Amino acid sequence: MNIEGSVALITGANGGLGTEFIKALLAAGVGKIYACARRIDALNATVQLDPSRVVAVQVDVTKPAEVEAAAQQCTDVTLLF
């Protein structure tokens, strides 16, 4: 799979594995990353990794309305983490 130029959505992006996925994808040349967390303010440091390619999205995967809102916002996703 060619990651360069792709669009990824990563849940739990505000720390741990999520942050490591973001760093690896940025290094691999991903076009854009939707970084998701339950609290959007928890993503400030994550977005700063590359503000031109990392987009913060508030979504709690246990809340259907927030999942639906994220799906409406992130229509160009090609990779899901």
Side-chain angles (χ1 to χ4, degrees), residues 30-65:
V30 72
K32 179 175 20 174
I33 298 171
Y34 292 108
C36 302
R38 288 181 291 232
R39 290 184 4 259
I40 201 159
D41 61 318
L43 294 165
N44 292 338
T46 304
V47 171
Q48 292 309 307
L49 294 171
D50 188 333
S52 67
R53 293 190 288 168
V54 179
V55 178
V57 178
Q58 180 171 322
V59 61
D60 181 337
V61 298
T62 67
K63 296 182 178 176

